[in-house]
Amino acid sequence: MDLPFQEFFRFVKPYRRFVVSCHIHPDGDAIGSTLTIGAALAQMNKQVVMVCNEEVPNVYKFLEGSSQIKRELPSDFIPEVLLCVDCAEKERIALPANVWEIPGLQVLNIDHHITNTNFGDYNLVWPNAAATGEVIFSLLSVGQIPLNHNMATALYIAIATDTGFFRYTNTSGYTLEVASQLVKEHQLELAKIAEQVHEQKSFNSIRLLGEVLNTIQIGIGGKVAWAVLDQQMLAKYSVENEETESYVNYPRSIEGVEVGILFKELRPGEVKLSWRSTTAVDVSKLAANFGGGGHARAAGCNLNGPLKTVIAEVLSYIDDYYQQQCNTE
Ligand SMILES: [Mn+2]
């Protein structure tokens, strides 16, 4: 069932205790959306606990309120409502699975993934929105819930990070209007915000990147480039997960390359693939073939098997994919 904006406010009215959570491996949209809707509910005199079972990535710790995000649900807090943001399926929520067993729990689902399973009792899913932050901005405008500077910064981070700072195809005129309104009304310092997100890398993450860049290979007529990050390299440098996320952008950024992949060996026998693409290819479909998913320009999946075998398997699949494209053209 779709939840029009006004109905959201009617729905939340009778409840007091809310837990807000996002998807596992939280990104800027997940954290920014959690903080903003958490603050909005608090303004509406609700008791709110924000929970994410993983640490907030370092680059988002400057966001006000991020230190209040708890790693687990306090045992003395029994929520009436679980509000999930930016989470496409209930299995990916950053909470222990037994949260779903709380008697009478109402579930609200605010998201923008086209693959959202509408798992909530009420769902507010806008597949055309660039970020969940964009949906929340619209929701709070309709509800006339005023934003303060911290909420505006968190929403800006949500939208900017999910659009690659307004470069990806999900960036619409409306996205820019929302960003513009946030900047104008709350005097956001964009250069400072961009520095917080992009220029706080650890020395080790840059040195590790150097090794990863040396592994880049190009194949399939120059259309596919891939890089490898194995256990040996990871052991040599101690680098948090979040910091290796952006490595995949380098193979993708090579001239003529349509698909960039990072093969990251999580442990011997398990490999995480990050996919990035230009407008030529929908990588969510390629990742889906291996049980993963995501967006057209950015997707992910995990494969089991030795690193070399996984790479060979994936490249042979992409080769077939391109052959088929040629045949259908
Ligand atoms: Mn998102």
Side-chain angles (χ1 to χ4, degrees):
M1 161 176 192
D2 277 332
L3 175 62
F5 291 153
Q6 285 297 355
E7 271 185 47
F8 172 87
F9 296 98
R10 273 197 287 278
F11 181 82
V12 300
K13 205 163 187 195
Y15 299 106
R16 290 276 303 140
R17 292 185 306 279
F18 288 72
V19 58
V20 179
S21 189
C22 57
H23 61 77
I24 51 169
H25 313 312
D27 55 14
D29 191 21
I31 298 294
S33 295
T34 297
L35 290 173
T36 310
I37 201 74
L41 287 168
Q43 273 187 37
M44 294 157 72
N45 293 316
K46 308 295 185 186
Q47 285 178 34
V48 187
V49 175
M50 300 178 285
V51 183
C52 176
N53 62 10
E54 285 160 287
E55 199 179 339
V56 172
N58 278 332
V59 289
Y60 305 126
K61 282 186 181 159
F62 80 98
L63 289 172
E64 208 64 46
S66 64
S67 62
Q68 286 161 32
I69 298 179
K70 296 187 183 329
R71 295 291 283 275
E72 49 191 50
L73 195 60
S75 55
D76 57 351
F77 186 85
I78 313 283
E80 295 166 289
V81 180
L82 165 59
L83 199 168
C84 307
V85 294
D86 203 37
C87 184
E89 48 200 81
K90 63 194 278 194
E91 290 74 20
R92 280 180 55 79
I93 196 77
L95 284 168
N98 62 11
V99 74
W100 304 104
E101 288 151 26
I102 294 173
L105 185 77
Q106 298 292 309
V107 179
L108 288 174
N109 168 20
I110 303 182
D111 188 29
H112 70 123
H113 291 89
I114 197 162
T115 52
N116 192 290
T117 56
N118 286 316
F119 58 84
D121 295 300
Y122 287 95
N123 304 288
L124 178 52
V125 180
W126 262 18
N128 290 328
T132 300
E134 195 177 299
V135 183
I136 291 175
F137 175 90
S138 313
L139 174 71
L140 299 183
S141 313
V142 169
Q144 295 181 311
I145 308 289
L147 300 178
N148 59 31
H149 187 266
N150 295 336
M151 293 157 89
T153 308
L155 280 186
Y156 179 82
I157 282 287
I159 297 167
T161 54
D162 255 25
T163 57
F165 281 72
F166 310 103
R167 287 180 300 141
Y168 302 155
T169 42
N170 58 350
T171 312
S172 67
Y174 181 66
T175 309
L176 293 173
E177 270 172 41
V178 170
S180 160
Q181 224 170 306
L182 292 172
V183 173
K184 277 196 288 195
E185 286 171 21
H186 301 277
Q187 289 84 44
L188 303 186
E189 295 182 81
L190 299 193
K192 259 196 190 158
I193 292 176
E195 271 173 30
Q196 288 287 354
V197 177
H198 295 297
E199 285 152 35
Q200 301 290 327
K201 297 189 171 62
S202 69
F203 182 37
N204 268 359
S205 88
I206 296 294
R207 294 203 301 162
L208 177 57
L209 170 63
E211 295 215 11
V212 171
L213 294 179
N214 272 327
T215 70
I216 293 185
Q217 293 186 57
I218 294 187
I220 314 191
K223 291 188 168 149
V224 179
W226 62 95
V228 178
L229 176 49
D230 65 20
Q231 279 287 302
Q232 220 184 341
M233 291 152 75
L234 279 167
K236 202 165 143 194
Y237 306 93
S238 137
V239 169
E240 78 166 86
N241 244 331
E242 169 73 17
E243 292 192 282
T244 61
E245 294 288 297
S246 62
Y247 292 179
V248 63
N249 295 320
Y250 290 90
R252 221 296 297 133
S253 65
I254 298 166
E255 183 181 22
V257 167
E258 295 176 349
V259 177
I261 309 168
L262 176 71
F263 293 91
K264 180 175 177 182
E265 190 180 34
L266 297 178
R267 57 190 68 82
E270 191 182 355
V271 184
K272 181 188 166 190
L273 273 70
S274 302
W275 303 73
R276 294 291 182 277
S277 62
T278 63
T279 50
V281 178
D282 179 350
V283 280
S284 72
K285 289 184 183 152
L286 299 181
N289 179 66
F290 298 102
H295 302 284
R297 304 282 88 80
C301 61
N302 281 26
L303 268 81
N304 292 321
L307 190 53
K308 276 192 178 147
T309 318
V310 166
I311 295 172
E313 187 190 335
V314 169
L315 292 177
S316 130
Y317 170 74
I318 302 175
D319 200 17
D320 290 348
Y321 168 85
Y322 271 103
Q323 303 265 354
Q324 273 174 18
Q325 296 296 108
C326 286
N327 294 340
T328 52
E329 266 164 22

mmCIF file of all heavy atoms in Angstrom, residues 23-63:
data_model
loop_
_atom_site.group_PDB
_atom_site.id
_atom_site.type_symbol
_atom_site.label_atom_id
_atom_site.label_comp_id
_atom_site.label_asym_id
_atom_site.label_seq_id
_atom_site.Cartn_x
_atom_site.Cartn_y
_atom_site.Cartn_z
ATOM 1 N N HIS A 23 19.861 0.641 6.020
ATOM 2 C CA HIS A 23 20.409 -0.632 5.531
ATOM 3 C C HIS A 23 21.802 -0.899 6.111
ATOM 4 O O HIS A 23 22.488 0.029 6.542
ATOM 5 C CB HIS A 23 20.449 -0.662 3.997
ATOM 6 C CG HIS A 23 21.300 0.405 3.365
ATOM 7 N ND1 HIS A 23 22.678 0.334 3.323
ATOM 8 C CD2 HIS A 23 20.976 1.556 2.734
ATOM 9 C CE1 HIS A 23 23.147 1.389 2.685
ATOM 10 N NE2 HIS A 23 22.147 2.162 2.324
ATOM 11 N N ILE A 24 22.198 -2.168 6.113
ATOM 12 C CA ILE A 24 23.540 -2.538 6.567
ATOM 13 C C ILE A 24 24.576 -1.903 5.629
ATOM 14 O O ILE A 24 24.244 -1.497 4.508
ATOM 15 C CB ILE A 24 23.719 -4.077 6.598
ATOM 16 C CG1 ILE A 24 23.285 -4.696 5.258
ATOM 17 C CG2 ILE A 24 22.938 -4.698 7.744
ATOM 18 C CD1 ILE A 24 23.666 -6.147 5.121
ATOM 19 N N HIS A 25 25.815 -1.829 6.061
ATOM 20 C CA HIS A 25 26.873 -1.112 5.342
ATOM 21 C C HIS A 25 26.376 0.292 4.975
ATOM 22 O O HIS A 25 26.265 0.632 3.784
ATOM 23 C CB HIS A 25 27.302 -1.852 4.059
ATOM 24 C CG HIS A 25 27.551 -3.308 4.256
ATOM 25 N ND1 HIS A 25 28.322 -3.786 5.295
ATOM 26 C CD2 HIS A 25 27.115 -4.393 3.582
ATOM 27 C CE1 HIS A 25 28.362 -5.110 5.228
ATOM 28 N NE2 HIS A 25 27.626 -5.501 4.205
ATOM 29 N N PRO A 26 26.045 1.100 5.964
ATOM 30 C CA PRO A 26 25.389 2.386 5.697
ATOM 31 C C PRO A 26 26.248 3.324 4.851
ATOM 32 O O PRO A 26 27.467 3.366 5.011
ATOM 33 C CB PRO A 26 25.181 2.974 7.091
ATOM 34 C CG PRO A 26 26.222 2.326 7.943
ATOM 35 C CD PRO A 26 26.372 0.931 7.400
ATOM 36 N N ASP A 27 25.584 4.053 3.957
ATOM 37 C CA ASP A 27 26.262 5.068 3.148
ATOM 38 C C ASP A 27 25.732 6.442 3.570
ATOM 39 O O ASP A 27 25.016 6.571 4.562
ATOM 40 C CB ASP A 27 26.045 4.788 1.647
ATOM 41 C CG ASP A 27 24.565 4.681 1.299
ATOM 42 O OD1 ASP A 27 23.718 5.074 2.122
ATOM 43 O OD2 ASP A 27 24.246 4.195 0.197
ATOM 44 N N GLY A 28 26.065 7.459 2.786
ATOM 45 C CA GLY A 28 25.677 8.819 3.152
ATOM 46 C C GLY A 28 24.168 9.010 3.178
ATOM 47 O O GLY A 28 23.628 9.718 4.033
ATOM 48 N N ASP A 29 23.479 8.392 2.231
ATOM 49 C CA ASP A 29 22.015 8.514 2.186
ATOM 50 C C ASP A 29 21.388 7.827 3.396
ATOM 51 O O ASP A 29 20.473 8.369 4.030
ATOM 52 C CB ASP A 29 21.493 7.893 0.871
ATOM 53 C CG ASP A 29 20.023 8.200 0.611
ATOM 54 O OD1 ASP A 29 19.498 9.178 1.190
ATOM 55 O OD2 ASP A 29 19.402 7.468 -0.183
ATOM 56 N N ALA A 30 21.895 6.652 3.741
ATOM 57 C CA ALA A 30 21.356 5.902 4.881
ATOM 58 C C ALA A 30 21.534 6.702 6.178
ATOM 59 O O ALA A 30 20.589 6.869 6.960
ATOM 60 C CB ALA A 30 22.050 4.545 4.993
ATOM 61 N N ILE A 31 22.736 7.231 6.393
ATOM 62 C CA ILE A 31 23.018 7.974 7.632
ATOM 63 C C ILE A 31 22.292 9.325 7.628
ATOM 64 O O ILE A 31 21.629 9.698 8.606
ATOM 65 C CB ILE A 31 24.546 8.193 7.801
ATOM 66 C CG1 ILE A 31 25.267 6.840 7.914
ATOM 67 C CG2 ILE A 31 24.847 9.079 9.008
ATOM 68 C CD1 ILE A 31 24.939 6.023 9.145
ATOM 69 N N GLY A 32 22.383 10.049 6.514
ATOM 70 C CA GLY A 32 21.745 11.372 6.442
ATOM 71 C C GLY A 32 20.231 11.279 6.612
ATOM 72 O O GLY A 32 19.612 12.104 7.295
ATOM 73 N N SER A 33 19.619 10.269 6.002
ATOM 74 C CA SER A 33 18.167 10.089 6.106
ATOM 75 C C SER A 33 17.770 9.692 7.520
ATOM 76 O O SER A 33 16.769 10.178 8.061
ATOM 77 C CB SER A 33 17.691 9.010 5.113
ATOM 78 O OG SER A 33 17.912 9.442 3.794
ATOM 79 N N THR A 34 18.548 8.806 8.136
ATOM 80 C CA THR A 34 18.267 8.381 9.511
ATOM 81 C C THR A 34 18.283 9.592 10.446
ATOM 82 O O THR A 34 17.369 9.798 11.251
ATOM 83 C CB THR A 34 19.336 7.358 9.982
ATOM 84 O OG1 THR A 34 19.252 6.201 9.145
ATOM 85 C CG2 THR A 34 19.124 6.944 11.430
ATOM 86 N N LEU A 35 19.332 10.412 10.319
ATOM 87 C CA LEU A 35 19.474 11.563 11.222
ATOM 88 C C LEU A 35 18.337 12.563 11.025
ATOM 89 O O LEU A 35 17.803 13.108 11.991
ATOM 90 C CB LEU A 35 20.824 12.246 10.976
ATOM 91 C CG LEU A 35 22.055 11.463 11.417
ATOM 92 C CD1 LEU A 35 23.331 12.163 10.956
ATOM 93 C CD2 LEU A 35 22.063 11.284 12.936
ATOM 94 N N THR A 36 17.953 12.793 9.767
ATOM 95 C CA THR A 36 16.936 13.820 9.515
ATOM 96 C C THR A 36 15.558 13.375 9.978
ATOM 97 O O THR A 36 14.861 14.127 10.661
ATOM 98 C CB THR A 36 16.875 14.169 8.015
ATOM 99 O OG1 THR A 36 18.183 14.438 7.561
ATOM 100 C CG2 THR A 36 15.994 15.376 7.779
ATOM 101 N N ILE A 37 15.175 12.162 9.625
ATOM 102 C CA ILE A 37 13.826 11.731 10.025
ATOM 103 C C ILE A 37 13.800 11.494 11.537
ATOM 104 O O ILE A 37 12.775 11.725 12.189
ATOM 105 C CB ILE A 37 13.353 10.489 9.210
ATOM 106 C CG1 ILE A 37 11.829 10.359 9.242
ATOM 107 C CG2 ILE A 37 13.991 9.209 9.674
ATOM 108 C CD1 ILE A 37 11.076 11.330 8.403
ATOM 109 N N GLY A 38 14.940 11.102 12.109
ATOM 110 C CA GLY A 38 15.024 10.949 13.568
ATOM 111 C C GLY A 38 14.782 12.285 14.259
ATOM 112 O O GLY A 38 13.994 12.388 15.207
ATOM 113 N N ALA A 39 15.446 13.336 13.748
ATOM 114 C CA ALA A 39 15.285 14.677 14.336
ATOM 115 C C ALA A 39 13.858 15.185 14.124
ATOM 116 O O ALA A 39 13.276 15.831 15.001
ATOM 117 C CB ALA A 39 16.289 15.635 13.702
ATOM 118 N N ALA A 40 13.276 14.875 12.958
ATOM 119 C CA ALA A 40 11.913 15.337 12.662
ATOM 120 C C ALA A 40 10.910 14.686 13.616
ATOM 121 O O ALA A 40 10.014 15.350 14.142
ATOM 122 C CB ALA A 40 11.564 15.009 11.208
ATOM 123 N N LEU A 41 11.081 13.413 13.873
ATOM 124 C CA LEU A 41 10.164 12.717 14.798
ATOM 125 C C LEU A 41 10.317 13.274 16.218
ATOM 126 O O LEU A 41 9.328 13.435 16.934
ATOM 127 C CB LEU A 41 10.438 11.204 14.784
ATOM 128 C CG LEU A 41 9.979 10.463 13.519
ATOM 129 C CD1 LEU A 41 10.573 9.056 13.491
ATOM 130 C CD2 LEU A 41 8.455 10.396 13.430
ATOM 131 N N ALA A 42 11.550 13.594 16.588
ATOM 132 C CA ALA A 42 11.780 14.182 17.916
ATOM 133 C C ALA A 42 11.066 15.533 18.019
ATOM 134 O O ALA A 42 10.456 15.845 19.042
ATOM 135 C CB ALA A 42 13.276 14.326 18.177
ATOM 136 N N GLN A 43 11.111 16.301 16.928
ATOM 137 C CA GLN A 43 10.384 17.591 16.892
ATOM 138 C C GLN A 43 8.892 17.385 17.062
ATOM 139 O O GLN A 43 8.177 18.256 17.544
ATOM 140 C CB GLN A 43 10.593 18.279 15.543
ATOM 141 C CG GLN A 43 11.808 19.136 15.442
ATOM 142 C CD GLN A 43 11.815 19.909 14.121
ATOM 143 O OE1 GLN A 43 10.783 20.356 13.636
ATOM 144 N NE2 GLN A 43 12.983 20.038 13.543
ATOM 145 N N MET A 44 8.412 16.220 16.616
ATOM 146 C CA MET A 44 6.986 15.909 16.737
ATOM 147 C C MET A 44 6.683 15.274 18.100
ATOM 148 O O MET A 44 5.653 14.640 18.270
ATOM 149 C CB MET A 44 6.576 14.961 15.593
ATOM 150 C CG MET A 44 6.666 15.602 14.216
ATOM 151 S SD MET A 44 6.834 14.375 12.880
ATOM 152 C CE MET A 44 5.185 13.695 12.865
ATOM 153 N N ASN A 45 7.620 15.466 19.040
ATOM 154 C CA ASN A 45 7.481 14.952 20.409
ATOM 155 C C ASN A 45 7.391 13.431 20.506
ATOM 156 O O ASN A 45 6.709 12.905 21.370
ATOM 157 C CB ASN A 45 6.276 15.584 21.116
ATOM 158 C CG ASN A 45 6.509 17.060 21.345
ATOM 159 O OD1 ASN A 45 7.599 17.452 21.760
ATOM 160 N ND2 ASN A 45 5.509 17.872 21.028
ATOM 161 N N LYS A 46 8.096 12.770 19.613
ATOM 162 C CA LYS A 46 8.160 11.305 19.706
ATOM 163 C C LYS A 46 9.438 10.924 20.448
ATOM 164 O O LYS A 46 10.426 11.667 20.417
ATOM 165 C CB LYS A 46 8.190 10.678 18.306
ATOM 166 C CG LYS A 46 7.083 11.154 17.373
ATOM 167 C CD LYS A 46 5.719 10.741 17.853
ATOM 168 C CE LYS A 46 4.644 11.125 16.836
ATOM 169 N NZ LYS A 46 3.288 10.852 17.354
ATOM 170 N N GLN A 47 9.404 9.753 21.073
ATOM 171 C CA GLN A 47 10.648 9.180 21.612
ATOM 172 C C GLN A 47 11.314 8.426 20.471
ATOM 173 O O GLN A 47 10.694 7.529 19.905
ATOM 174 C CB GLN A 47 10.345 8.188 22.719
ATOM 175 C CG GLN A 47 9.935 8.820 24.032
ATOM 176 C CD GLN A 47 9.604 7.751 25.054
ATOM 177 O OE1 GLN A 47 10.201 6.685 25.086
ATOM 178 N NE2 GLN A 47 8.604 8.029 25.870
ATOM 179 N N VAL A 48 12.535 8.791 20.169
ATOM 180 C CA VAL A 48 13.193 8.203 18.997
ATOM 181 C C VAL A 48 14.528 7.586 19.378
ATOM 182 O O VAL A 48 15.334 8.213 20.066
ATOM 183 C CB VAL A 48 13.467 9.273 17.913
ATOM 184 C CG1 VAL A 48 13.999 8.630 16.645
ATOM 185 C CG2 VAL A 48 12.224 10.081 17.624
ATOM 186 N N VAL A 49 14.749 6.370 18.924
ATOM 187 C CA VAL A 49 16.071 5.770 19.036
ATOM 188 C C VAL A 49 16.531 5.443 17.617
ATOM 189 O O VAL A 49 15.800 4.820 16.847
ATOM 190 C CB VAL A 49 16.039 4.486 19.900
ATOM 191 C CG1 VAL A 49 17.405 3.810 19.892
ATOM 192 C CG2 VAL A 49 15.636 4.822 21.331
ATOM 193 N N MET A 50 17.722 5.932 17.265
ATOM 194 C CA MET A 50 18.281 5.609 15.943
ATOM 195 C C MET A 50 19.274 4.469 16.140
ATOM 196 O O MET A 50 20.103 4.526 17.052
ATOM 197 C CB MET A 50 18.998 6.828 15.356
ATOM 198 C CG MET A 50 18.080 8.029 15.175
ATOM 199 S SD MET A 50 18.965 9.486 14.538
ATOM 200 C CE MET A 50 19.853 10.028 15.987
ATOM 201 N N VAL A 51 19.173 3.447 15.297
ATOM 202 C CA VAL A 51 20.039 2.281 15.463
ATOM 203 C C VAL A 51 20.647 1.863 14.126
ATOM 204 O O VAL A 51 19.957 1.808 13.097
ATOM 205 C CB VAL A 51 19.264 1.060 16.038
ATOM 206 C CG1 VAL A 51 20.220 -0.112 16.277
ATOM 207 C CG2 VAL A 51 18.556 1.417 17.338
ATOM 208 N N CYS A 52 21.946 1.584 14.152
ATOM 209 C CA CYS A 52 22.604 0.955 13.009
ATOM 210 C C CYS A 52 23.639 0.011 13.599
ATOM 211 O O CYS A 52 24.484 0.437 14.404
ATOM 212 C CB CYS A 52 23.282 1.991 12.122
ATOM 213 S SG CYS A 52 24.197 1.223 10.778
ATOM 214 N N ASN A 53 23.557 -1.254 13.251
ATOM 215 C CA ASN A 53 24.414 -2.245 13.917
ATOM 216 C C ASN A 53 25.877 -2.198 13.474
ATOM 217 O O ASN A 53 26.693 -2.995 13.912
ATOM 218 C CB ASN A 53 23.838 -3.655 13.778
ATOM 219 C CG ASN A 53 23.742 -4.103 12.334
ATOM 220 O OD1 ASN A 53 24.271 -3.433 11.443
ATOM 221 N ND2 ASN A 53 23.056 -5.202 12.091
ATOM 222 N N GLU A 54 26.205 -1.244 12.578
ATOM 223 C CA GLU A 54 27.609 -1.067 12.224
ATOM 224 C C GLU A 54 28.004 0.371 12.533
ATOM 225 O O GLU A 54 27.148 1.252 12.587
ATOM 226 C CB GLU A 54 27.825 -1.328 10.734
ATOM 227 C CG GLU A 54 27.778 -2.793 10.382
ATOM 228 C CD GLU A 54 27.505 -2.983 8.917
ATOM 229 O OE1 GLU A 54 26.359 -2.754 8.500
ATOM 230 O OE2 GLU A 54 28.435 -3.333 8.198
ATOM 231 N N GLU A 55 29.290 0.593 12.673
ATOM 232 C CA GLU A 55 29.761 1.928 13.001
ATOM 233 C C GLU A 55 29.440 2.893 11.852
ATOM 234 O O GLU A 55 29.505 2.518 10.677
ATOM 235 C CB GLU A 55 31.277 1.868 13.220
ATOM 236 C CG GLU A 55 31.783 3.060 13.990
ATOM 237 C CD GLU A 55 33.277 2.996 14.234
ATOM 238 O OE1 GLU A 55 33.865 1.893 14.168
ATOM 239 O OE2 GLU A 55 33.840 4.066 14.485
ATOM 240 N N VAL A 56 29.109 4.120 12.209
ATOM 241 C CA VAL A 56 28.932 5.164 11.185
ATOM 242 C C VAL A 56 30.284 5.366 10.496
ATOM 243 O O VAL A 56 31.298 5.548 11.174
ATOM 244 C CB VAL A 56 28.470 6.486 11.848
ATOM 245 C CG1 VAL A 56 28.461 7.631 10.842
ATOM 246 C CG2 VAL A 56 27.102 6.310 12.494
ATOM 247 N N PRO A 57 30.333 5.315 9.158
ATOM 248 C CA PRO A 57 31.621 5.531 8.480
ATOM 249 C C PRO A 57 32.250 6.869 8.913
ATOM 250 O O PRO A 57 31.533 7.858 9.099
ATOM 251 C CB PRO A 57 31.228 5.561 6.995
ATOM 252 C CG PRO A 57 29.967 4.758 6.927
ATOM 253 C CD PRO A 57 29.256 5.013 8.218
ATOM 254 N N ASN A 58 33.561 6.870 9.056
ATOM 255 C CA ASN A 58 34.276 8.051 9.560
ATOM 256 C C ASN A 58 33.898 9.349 8.873
ATOM 257 O O ASN A 58 33.763 10.380 9.516
ATOM 258 C CB ASN A 58 35.790 7.837 9.400
ATOM 259 C CG ASN A 58 36.323 7.011 10.552
ATOM 260 O OD1 ASN A 58 35.761 7.043 11.650
ATOM 261 N ND2 ASN A 58 37.368 6.252 10.304
ATOM 262 N N VAL A 59 33.730 9.283 7.530
ATOM 263 C CA VAL A 59 33.482 10.522 6.783
ATOM 264 C C VAL A 59 32.139 11.161 7.122
ATOM 265 O O VAL A 59 31.918 12.328 6.800
ATOM 266 C CB VAL A 59 33.563 10.308 5.254
ATOM 267 C CG1 VAL A 59 34.986 10.055 4.820
ATOM 268 C CG2 VAL A 59 32.637 9.195 4.786
ATOM 269 N N TYR A 60 31.234 10.411 7.756
ATOM 270 C CA TYR A 60 29.927 10.997 8.107
ATOM 271 C C TYR A 60 29.819 11.323 9.585
ATOM 272 O O TYR A 60 28.774 11.759 10.057
ATOM 273 C CB TYR A 60 28.786 10.058 7.681
ATOM 274 C CG TYR A 60 28.860 9.694 6.216
ATOM 275 C CD1 TYR A 60 28.876 8.369 5.795
ATOM 276 C CD2 TYR A 60 28.951 10.700 5.255
ATOM 277 C CE1 TYR A 60 28.976 8.043 4.453
ATOM 278 C CE2 TYR A 60 29.068 10.384 3.914
ATOM 279 C CZ TYR A 60 29.083 9.049 3.526
ATOM 280 O OH TYR A 60 29.188 8.751 2.204
ATOM 281 N N LYS A 61 30.908 11.119 10.316
ATOM 282 C CA LYS A 61 30.848 11.377 11.765
ATOM 283 C C LYS A 61 30.753 12.858 12.092
ATOM 284 O O LYS A 61 30.416 13.217 13.210
ATOM 285 C CB LYS A 61 32.068 10.747 12.450
ATOM 286 C CG LYS A 61 31.896 9.243 12.609
ATOM 287 C CD LYS A 61 33.015 8.620 13.396
ATOM 288 C CE LYS A 61 32.786 7.118 13.499
ATOM 289 N NZ LYS A 61 34.029 6.405 13.800
ATOM 290 N N PHE A 62 31.072 13.725 11.116
ATOM 291 C CA PHE A 62 30.949 15.169 11.390
ATOM 292 C C PHE A 62 29.482 15.594 11.443
ATOM 293 O O PHE A 62 29.174 16.671 11.952
ATOM 294 C CB PHE A 62 31.699 15.987 10.318
ATOM 295 C CG PHE A 62 30.941 16.161 9.029
ATOM 296 C CD1 PHE A 62 30.228 17.329 8.766
ATOM 297 C CD2 PHE A 62 30.924 15.153 8.081
ATOM 298 C CE1 PHE A 62 29.523 17.493 7.576
ATOM 299 C CE2 PHE A 62 30.221 15.309 6.886
ATOM 300 C CZ PHE A 62 29.522 16.472 6.634
ATOM 301 N N LEU A 63 28.586 14.755 10.947
ATOM 302 C CA LEU A 63 27.164 15.106 10.977
ATOM 303 C C LEU A 63 26.668 15.113 12.423
ATOM 304 O O LEU A 63 26.864 14.145 13.160
ATOM 305 C CB LEU A 63 26.341 14.117 10.138
ATOM 306 C CG LEU A 63 26.520 14.224 8.631
ATOM 307 C CD1 LEU A 63 25.804 13.074 7.930
ATOM 308 C CD2 LEU A 63 26.001 15.571 8.119
#
